[in-house]
Amino acid sequence: MRATELETGLPPIGMEGGSANISDKLTNLHIDINKIDEPESRPLQGGMSVSHWLGTVRSNPLLDHRTTKELPSSSEVVIIGSGLSGALAALNLLESENPPKSILMLEARELCSGATGRNAGHCKPDIWRGYIEYSKRFGSEQALKILANEKETRDALVRFVTDNNVDCEVWNGKTFDVMMDPEVVAKAARSMEAFKAAGGDASSIDVITDPKEAERVSRVKGAKAVYAWDASTLHPWKLVAYIIERCLKLGLNLQTLTPVSSVTESSKKDCWSIQTERGSVETSNVIHTTNAYAGSLLPELNQSIIPIPHMCNLVYPPSTHSGSKALTNSYAVIYKNGLYSVNPRNTSDGCILFGGVQPNQHQLEKYVSEDPKRKTDDSLQDFKPITESVKFLGKHGFAWDESKPEVGFGVRYDRSWSGIIGLSADEVPFVGPVPGKKGQWMSCGHNGHGMARIFTCSKGLAQLVQGSTWSQTGLPECFQVTSERIGTRSKL
């Protein structure tokens, strides 16, 4: 049965706040992770769905760029993956005081065609909401450090884009967490109270608890409360393209359409051999920025980073929500049975992108569970249950008329696409050296939340590659790759 023929509905999925524990997610998916094999974890090579970002840059020559006709036989550093993690790792290395003599970047498909090129374009740092869950898992100190890191990451992104005048359609302003159910309101209040009691700084967060005022400010019908703080939206592919162009001028060798089949020990001392269909490359440093696909080249991670597709929907709003009446904030609209991430692109084309872990996500999970290959199949598009869920929010939340208007344009649910996110076992990324594999490094498992973490994670990873200690990176200690974290699945 095709995805678009599945029945629709709006039953609960049990994922409040946009992120459930991975054990719950895997239970819903019915995935036996001991049966995950390497080929299924690799990026789809043909027939991928076209995201809004990739669809707007089809004439850009960076898409299929190869710096040299032939693949180099060796490089001091090889970065696998050309999304934001890989691009920033390369830039931080190349602009360091002692840059590597050579850096090769290998991309299995077109430039930035993985998660960065398929998200909803939202850099929304969680600076308070996740405190309780993080503190349960890592303790209060680490929880506060995780949330502070997200604010630092967003600030670093804004500073980079502003200082370099990057043309990536950035918007900076207030993001809204719109609470739609009494249970969600109560949970948010508990999280805020616990965050402040632990010493968290809530001075930059505006809170509205009067439902009438919450509706007025958010323009979401039925809103019970609103929490607002600073966030950004942008065209992530264009940001990566700017970074890559800068890296190329500094000597980066980029090779797109070059999937890596394996990384094995070389006959040379302290070297690794990277195999591709175009030949092999010898290197002393391998940097994995493959996110959800980490397990294909690092099989020990198959139990702790799980790939799964998520959908993004592109909607052209009706005239009632366009022009001078366009939405001017980004959103997380939170029900007790799901969360919508909403990105109105009011600095560019005016379309609205919907992502998140929303109602009807369980139907996508059911669809994926029917065939293991679907875990990394980003050819999926226009998944009807998710589109129906988006229509539900449009009609009952933003209250736009679904019928043909007498004046102006009606709403158009244009299309959707899929992207593969990497769910880590403890819901924070894996950053640092790979245990037992000297010279291999990684920044993977970003849980669909990489835009709020990568700017600092990639900088920290580059520092580690060049000999810095973990404390010098400033990253939360719980992000560090350890043998214990890699074995987390057995404890769930």
Side-chain angles (χ1 to χ4, degrees):
M1 177 165 45
R2 297 203 325 267
T4 52
E5 295 172 345
L6 295 175
E7 295 181 358
T8 64
L10 289 170
I13 59 175
M15 293 186 182
E16 293 186 18
S19 181
N21 183 278
I22 194 172
S23 60
D24 298 326
K25 293 174 181 176
L26 293 176
T27 299
N28 291 338
L29 285 167
H30 307 292
I31 292 175
D32 181 352
I33 95 179
N34 294 316
K35 294 183 179 179
I36 297 175
D37 57 34
E38 294 179 23
E40 290 175 355
S41 297
R42 293 176 186 154
L44 188 70
Q45 290 301 296
M48 298 76 73
S49 60
V50 180
S51 71
H52 185 58
W53 316 128
L54 290 165
T56 54
V57 295
R58 299 315 300 164
S59 62
N60 194 305
L62 283 178
L63 278 172
D64 59 351
H65 177 90
R66 287 180 177 175
T67 304
T68 56
K69 184 177 180 181
E70 302 297 330
L71 196 66
S73 60
S74 65
S75 181
E76 185 176 345
V77 175
V78 174
I79 299 174
I80 305 175
S82 69
L84 188 58
S85 286
L88 282 171
L91 185 64
N92 279 283
L93 287 170
L94 288 165
E95 293 189 341
S96 66
E97 292 182 0
N98 185 28
K101 293 181 177 64
S102 56
I103 299 181
L104 172 66
M105 179 177 286
L106 301 176
E107 167 56 53
R109 307 190 294 192
E110 294 178 337
L111 178 72
C112 190
S113 56
T116 303
R118 296 177 173 277
N119 62 30
H122 208 175
C123 180
K124 175 170 179 151
D126 177 5
I127 62 174
W128 67 279
R129 178 157 41 91
Y131 173 77
I132 290 178
E133 293 304 317
Y134 288 134
S135 62
K136 287 178 181 176
R137 188 170 294 121
F138 305 112
S140 178
E141 181 180 348
Q142 284 296 294
L144 291 174
K145 198 166 184 177
I146 291 169
L147 300 174
N149 171 259
E150 297 208 15
K151 182 180 184 301
E152 180 187 349
T153 300
R154 186 261 173 178
D155 290 346
L157 184 150
V158 171
R159 192 163 52 247
F160 181 87
V161 170
T162 302
D163 290 350
N164 295 286
N165 196 27
V166 182
D167 181 13
C168 60
E169 301 168 11
V170 71
W171 167 86
N172 299 309
K174 290 291 184 181
T175 187
F176 292 158
D177 263 16
V178 184
M179 312 302 176
M180 300 298 290
D181 297 301
E183 297 94 326
V184 178
V185 173
K187 182 177 180 180
R190 290 194 299 271
S191 295
M192 178 59 75
E193 182 180 359
F195 173 66
K196 291 194 291 188
D201 181 6
S203 61
S204 63
I205 305 168
D206 301 324
V207 182
I208 300 171
T209 55
D210 175 66
K212 288 185 178 180
E213 183 66 5
E215 271 198 9
R216 185 190 70 81
V217 170
S218 69
R219 298 178 63 186
V220 178
K221 185 179 180 181
K224 302 293 189 293
V226 172
Y227 291 69
W229 64 97
D230 291 334
S232 301
T233 65
L234 66 153
H235 193 306
W237 195 97
K238 290 184 177 181
L239 173 60
V240 169
Y242 171 85
I243 296 168
I244 290 295
E245 287 177 344
R246 192 154 142 177
C247 289
L248 291 171
K249 292 176 182 177
L250 293 169
L252 174 70
N253 187 324
L254 170 63
Q255 297 288 328
T256 63
L257 305 171
T258 307
V260 174
S261 57
S262 64
V263 179
T264 59
E265 289 189 50
S266 170
S267 57
K268 298 179 181 178
K269 184 180 179 181
D270 296 329
C271 275
W272 297 96
S273 179
I274 299 176
Q275 286 78 42
T276 79
E277 292 181 355
R278 299 175 58 210
S280 61
V281 182
E282 300 285 325
T283 185
S284 54
N285 286 287
V286 184
I287 298 178
H288 298 264
T289 57
T290 48
N291 198 29
Y293 304 105
S296 66
L297 300 176
L298 295 168
E300 61 266 41
L301 290 163
N302 273 331
Q303 295 192 2
S304 46
I305 297 179
I306 306 301
I308 181 174
H310 268 52
M311 305 300 300
C312 284
N313 280 65
L314 184 151
V315 177
Y316 289 103
S319 293
T320 55
H321 289 71
S322 300
S324 62
K325 299 181 286 295
L327 299 174
T328 55
N329 301 86
S330 73
Y331 295 79
V333 181
I334 307 173
Y335 292 85
K336 63 182 178 181
N337 61 344
L339 175 153
Y340 297 86
S341 175
V342 185
N343 169 12
R345 286 172 42 78
N346 51 45
T347 60
S348 51
D349 51 47
C351 67
I352 303 177
L353 303 185
F354 290 79
V357 186
Q358 53 195 258
N360 277 352
Q361 179 71 15
H362 68 291
Q363 295 207 37
L364 176 59
E365 293 173 350
K366 180 178 183 296
Y367 173 75
V368 172
S369 72
E370 294 169 355
D371 185 347
K373 293 181 180 179
R374 291 173 179 168
K375 294 191 304 297
T376 52
D377 181 2
D378 52 15
S379 68
L380 185 60
Q381 57 187 342
D382 299 324
F383 188 77
K384 189 173 181 180
I386 298 296
T387 300
E388 290 301 314
S389 184
V390 170
K391 289 180 178 180
F392 172 86
L393 178 61
K395 183 176 182 179
H396 299 285
F398 291 116
W400 51 53
D401 190 354
E402 301 287 335
S403 62
K404 186 177 180 180
E406 293 183 6
V407 178
F409 292 95
V411 62
R412 175 178 171 182
Y413 297 94
D414 188 72
R415 60 194 173 91
S416 65
W417 62 89
S418 52
I420 311 302
I421 67 172
L423 302 176
S424 68
D426 51 10
E427 299 188 38
V428 294
F430 285 76
V431 181
V434 180
K437 294 184 175 179
K438 183 181 178 182
Q440 292 202 45
W441 313 81
M442 67 181 296
S443 179
C444 301
H446 287 281
N447 292 278
H449 196 52
M451 296 300 292
R453 288 179 173 158
I454 289 170
F455 250 84
T456 52
C457 283
S458 287
K459 178 182 178 181
L461 182 62
Q463 290 175 296
L464 293 170
V465 171
Q466 295 194 303
S468 294
T469 63
W470 185 268
S471 62
Q472 289 174 312
T473 69
L475 293 172
E477 285 73 15
C478 58
F479 287 10
Q480 190 169 11
V481 186
T482 64
S483 298
E484 290 75 21
R485 287 191 68 203
I486 288 176
T488 298
R489 173 56 183 165
S490 63
K491 301 175 185 177
L492 292 177

